[in-house]
Amino acid sequence: MASTPRKLCGALLGFAASAACAAVLPGQVDVSVSEPRAFGYQLGDRVSRTVTVDAADGLVLDESSVPQPGARGNALELRSVARRSSAESGGRRHELTLTYQVFLSSPQPRTLEMPGFTLRFKGEPRTQEARVEAWPVTVSPLVPVEVSPRRGLGELQPDAAPPLIDMRFARWRLIGYGLVAMVLLGYLAHVYIGLPWWARAHRPFTQAWRSMRGLTPASPEPQWREAIQRLHGALNRTMGEVVFEEGIDRFVRAQPRFAHLREDLASFFRQSRLEFFGSERQPATDRSWLVEFCRRCRDAERGAA
């Protein structure tokens, strides 16, 4: 029974000694590497190694000594460097996980090397270096050099035919889009082209001008009377009500475009009164004036000077 306390004390002393050894001594740098297997890799595989460095207080890792990914064109390329740092007794622990990728496919097994590098630590009492040696990586070919001549192996096979895709739904959808686009274009053409053109063609004085421009002073009397009635109808449609001679001023106020034709409108009403109710007929020159008057009204209706 007396030996039990002695054994317990011995175990405690051993644990304290191992803990003391685990602590980083001042100015000391310890490095350990967890290496991957050195065989069994092929094109495209990734392989990682983990470097653990315990640095004493006062030593700071020189960032320029840490390997950097990004170099291209190597058979074994460094793709990423994962870092982790933590405080330890008497110093700091740095863990670096370097991941490489195989970019070589040789016809025979080939041994590559994960390159070695040196980590530098600056500080007191002096700059320290930790060397990480190279590590071999064996890369195997994807297929053997001598391939079986069986069907499907051996020589390069012809390209497989692409799978057929049912395009009926897409075709009908495209036709539907086209029909909708045609309807919309037709609507826009109707609104912005058809309706304005129709409105211009059916203006009151434009229609009166079409019926009158072919008349001559020698045209039959009924045609001239019909033309005068069309002019009266154009005035009434423009005003929205029947226009009489005494309403010329009100017409001009409502339709300022015709303000410069105030005197011509008064002359037209006088000639119309004489044509339908007078005892004398108008001379032929007045008929020419009526044609010109109708043209000026059409221009005023369009907004032309």
Side-chain angles (χ1 to χ4, degrees):
M1 296 296 293
S3 62
T4 301
R6 286 197 297 271
K7 292 180 180 180
L8 181 59
C9 291
L12 292 175
L13 290 175
F15 176 78
S18 61
C21 294
V24 183
L25 299 178
Q28 181 181 356
V29 175
D30 293 331
V31 59
S32 62
V33 183
S34 175
E35 304 288 10
R37 71 178 190 274
F39 56 89
Y41 298 100
Q42 291 181 324
L43 174 67
D45 287 346
R46 291 177 179 260
V47 54
S48 300
R49 66 190 313 198
T50 300
V51 178
T52 303
V53 182
D54 293 321
D57 288 332
L59 294 176
V60 179
L61 176 61
D62 185 359
E63 297 294 333
S64 63
S65 65
V66 179
Q68 298 296 323
R72 297 292 181 265
N74 298 326
L76 194 63
E77 292 184 3
L78 179 60
R79 307 296 293 176
S80 65
V81 178
R83 299 176 54 178
R84 188 175 63 177
S85 179
S86 60
E88 298 290 336
S89 176
R92 195 163 193 84
R93 171 167 290 183
H94 303 272
E95 291 187 2
L96 288 77
T97 300
L98 296 88
T99 301
Y100 295 82
Q101 188 170 13
V102 178
F103 281 92
L104 175 70
S105 179
S106 62
Q108 300 292 339
R110 181 173 171 180
T111 299
L112 307 176
E113 280 195 348
M114 303 172 75
F117 56 91
T118 301
L119 296 175
R120 288 188 302 277
F121 291 84
K122 298 179 180 180
E124 299 296 336
R126 59 184 178 82
T127 300
Q128 298 280 357
E129 292 185 348
R131 178 64 184 173
V132 179
E133 300 297 337
W135 182 257
V137 175
T138 301
V139 179
S140 302
L142 294 175
V143 294
V145 177
E146 299 295 334
V147 183
S148 171
R150 292 183 56 190
R151 178 185 174 93
L153 300 174
E155 298 296 332
L156 187 65
Q157 301 298 308
D159 294 336
L164 299 179
I165 302 176
D166 187 0
M167 298 297 295
R168 287 177 299 177
F169 177 75
R171 185 161 50 248
W172 284 111
R173 183 174 56 186
L174 183 61
I175 293 174
Y177 290 161
L179 292 176
V180 172
M182 290 179 62
V183 170
L184 293 177
L185 289 175
Y187 172 76
L188 293 176
H190 172 70
V191 171
Y192 292 100
I193 298 177
L195 289 180
W197 176 85
W198 187 91
R200 287 193 299 269
H202 290 78
R203 288 170 179 166
F205 283 103
T206 299
Q207 291 180 309
W209 167 248
R210 288 200 193 101
S211 64
M212 183 174 287
R213 63 184 177 182
L215 296 179
T216 64
S219 297
E221 188 72 21
Q223 292 184 7
W224 278 105
R225 289 198 169 195
E226 183 180 357
I228 294 173
Q229 290 174 348
R230 287 182 179 274
L231 277 173
H232 278 289
L235 284 169
N236 297 338
R237 288 171 57 194
T238 302
M239 185 64 179
E241 61 184 47
V242 177
V243 180
F244 297 99
E245 187 173 0
E246 60 272 14
I248 293 177
D249 291 335
R250 193 159 65 90
F251 174 80
V252 170
R253 287 195 299 271
Q255 302 292 332
R257 293 175 295 175
F258 297 89
H260 64 287
L261 298 176
R262 169 69 179 75
E263 296 302 325
D264 291 334
L265 288 168
S267 298
F268 167 70
F269 275 99
R270 284 195 299 271
Q271 292 190 37
S272 175
R273 184 174 64 253
L274 292 174
E275 178 70 29
F276 290 101
F277 304 106
S279 58
E280 298 180 358
R281 298 301 184 190
Q282 292 291 95
T285 53
D286 291 338
R287 293 181 174 180
S288 299
W289 179 88
L290 283 173
V291 175
E292 182 62 20
F293 169 71
C294 183
R295 185 190 64 78
R296 290 198 298 270
C297 288
R298 182 207 61 179
D299 293 342
E301 184 180 54
R302 289 179 174 178

